[in-house]
Amino acid sequence: MKQKIILCILLNFMLIMLTSCSSIREPDIVLKENGQPCISIPRSEDMLRTNRPFNITSTHIYQTSIRSYLSEKYYQEEQYYVKAQECIDFEYHFRNDITYGIAFSTEEKGGSEKIWSADIRIVKDKDGNLQLLIDNEANSGDIN
């Protein structure tokens, strides 16, 4: 039953991506001092530097190694806004050495929906420092 629900959600997400005019975009991601990622909309999206808010309509976290949703939240009734380079609250504590697929969608007033996606993994390097791996690096298992 749980797998059918996950499959349904994935198919729904794929249909939204295929039918919308938007393409998948890459968010900005950096590690904060507490070892958690700050996932944000890039400054380049605010081309006129108006500091306008972006409406976050959903957030998703998927653990790729076990193909399982860990967290998802839809903001249809309540409004959740962030500005470019402001950390989005995924309401999840990311653990080290796990590859996560993260995605979120934004909707601009009078504009189209945009989907943001990346794969991330937090690892310790040989000196014991935390390092953020993104997309291909996160999936390769290599630590630089």
Side-chain angles (χ1 to χ4, degrees):
M1 179 70 176
K2 193 174 187 180
Q3 289 177 340
K4 286 183 182 181
I5 293 171
I6 292 172
L7 182 60
C8 184
I9 291 170
L10 286 173
L11 289 174
N12 213 1
F13 190 68
M14 295 295 281
L15 282 173
I16 290 170
M17 289 190 305
L18 291 173
T19 58
S20 70
C21 297
S22 63
S23 61
I24 296 178
R25 300 171 184 269
E26 291 183 27
D28 279 348
I29 308 171
V30 296
L31 270 184
K32 298 185 290 186
E33 287 183 23
N34 67 359
Q36 291 295 294
C38 172
I39 302 161
S40 64
I41 296 169
R43 172 62 67 197
S44 60
E45 286 296 310
D46 191 9
M47 290 183 251
L48 300 176
R49 303 288 188 251
T50 58
N51 210 20
R52 73 180 190 276
F54 293 86
N55 185 13
I56 305 298
T57 56
S58 66
T59 59
H60 305 272
I61 303 169
Y62 182 79
Q63 187 174 338
T64 59
S65 62
I66 60 172
R67 296 185 177 101
S68 176
Y69 262 106
L70 300 173
S71 175
E72 60 187 67
K73 180 147 178 135
Y74 297 94
Y75 297 93
Q76 304 303 60
E77 294 178 18
E78 59 188 90
Q79 299 292 303
Y80 175 47
Y81 292 95
V82 297
K83 296 180 180 177
Q85 294 188 316
E86 185 177 299
C87 297
I88 296 168
D89 185 4
F90 275 81
E91 298 178 1
Y92 187 80
H93 181 79
F94 293 88
R95 297 188 341 219
N96 295 352
D97 295 320
I98 295 175
T99 302
Y100 297 99
I102 56 104
F104 64 96
S105 56
T106 60
E107 190 176 79
E108 295 180 58
K109 190 173 185 175
S112 62
E113 182 176 59
K114 294 179 184 176
I115 297 172
W116 305 81
S117 178
D119 290 332
I120 64 171
R121 186 161 51 106
I122 303 165
V123 297
K124 283 191 178 182
D125 64 15
K126 42 190 157 184
D127 297 325
N129 300 313
L130 290 178
Q131 181 180 2
L132 177 68
L133 304 178
I134 301 174
D135 290 331
N136 290 338
E137 288 181 335
N139 292 311
S140 73
D142 296 335
I143 302 173
N144 294 335

